[in-house]
Amino acid sequence: MRKIMILVMFMLFSVILVSGCISNNNQNNETKIYAQNNISFSYPGGWEIANTTSPNAIVAVADPTTVQSGTPTTLVLIQKSNVTDENNLESVYAANYASFFNNTEYQQVSEGNITVNGVNALENIYKTNGSGDQRQYRAVWFSSNGNIYVVLCIAKVTDFEKQQPNFNLVVNSFNAQ
């Protein structure tokens, strides 16, 4: 009988340990899904839909813990424009950045090609120059179903690297229907 009691106590103790670990991991990995306007993507569970007045904006999601003066400093903005015969992904991308970095306000960090949900994408990382809270941006451009999408990830320069897992969650799960 004593052996059974010890075994039952050991099993209960093991269940408590395991359930505590699962609970903590679930909180850290909780996500939400945005699925409207012919797009879908996952975003961090603690983030919220944010108001945006940006041109061609579909939606923005932001970390509410980074709000300063009523505006979040960490967010992802999704923009969309139509592809025409005159403006394909490469030409719109090139036109956007043709004089962008000649302006002393922005400094390019890197540029390259990545894949988003099996689709070739163009990526440009840049930051603001100047005083105050400098921002860093990661713009991922791709074309799908006759539209050009830009997934623009924004954070303070000091927070940008630690936000990459959150930005990757949105970018890597993005899907246009």
Side-chain angles (χ1 to χ4, degrees):
M1 184 71 162
R2 183 178 166 140
K3 287 183 182 181
I4 294 174
M5 290 284 286
I6 292 173
L7 181 61
V8 168
M9 287 178 39
F10 176 74
M11 289 174 57
L12 284 173
F13 181 71
S14 297
V15 168
I16 291 169
L17 283 177
V18 171
S19 66
C21 292
I22 291 171
S23 174
N24 289 340
N25 286 340
N26 283 342
Q27 286 180 343
N28 292 338
N29 294 323
E30 181 184 328
T31 61
K32 295 178 182 175
I33 297 175
Y34 177 88
Q36 295 177 28
N37 301 312
N38 296 319
I39 63 168
S40 64
F41 59 88
S42 298
Y43 61 100
W47 287 28
E48 299 294 335
I49 302 292
N51 293 330
T52 179
T53 57
S54 179
N56 300 321
I58 299 175
V59 66
V61 292
D63 182 349
T65 66
T66 66
V67 172
Q68 293 181 341
S69 303
T71 304
T73 61
T74 300
L75 67 134
V76 177
L77 172 69
I78 311 296
Q79 297 173 299
K80 175 180 104 170
S81 63
N82 294 329
V83 175
T84 66
D85 291 339
E86 298 83 38
N87 68 348
N88 61 30
L89 176 64
E90 290 76 15
S91 66
V92 172
Y93 177 88
N96 186 76
Y97 294 113
S99 61
F100 199 77
F101 299 116
N102 292 336
N103 179 339
T104 58
E105 187 178 344
Y106 296 100
Q107 175 188 355
Q108 187 174 41
V109 175
S110 67
E111 182 178 39
N113 295 314
I114 65 171
T115 302
V116 175
N117 223 356
V119 175
N120 184 41
L122 305 171
E123 180 180 65
N124 204 321
I125 299 176
Y126 54 96
K127 61 184 175 179
T128 54
N129 289 321
S131 60
D133 287 333
Q134 295 178 316
R135 302 281 190 265
Q136 191 157 346
Y137 303 80
R138 176 183 177 196
V140 179
W141 296 63
F142 61 95
S143 179
S144 179
N145 299 325
N147 296 300
I148 296 173
Y149 294 92
V150 180
V151 179
L152 183 61
C153 308
I154 306 166
K156 286 183 178 180
V157 169
T158 55
D159 296 335
F160 189 77
E161 285 305 316
K162 75 178 180 184
Q163 291 295 338
Q164 288 309 304
N166 294 326
F167 295 157
N168 287 337
L169 174 64
V170 175
V171 169
N172 293 334
S173 66
F174 191 90
N175 188 21
Q177 290 91 27

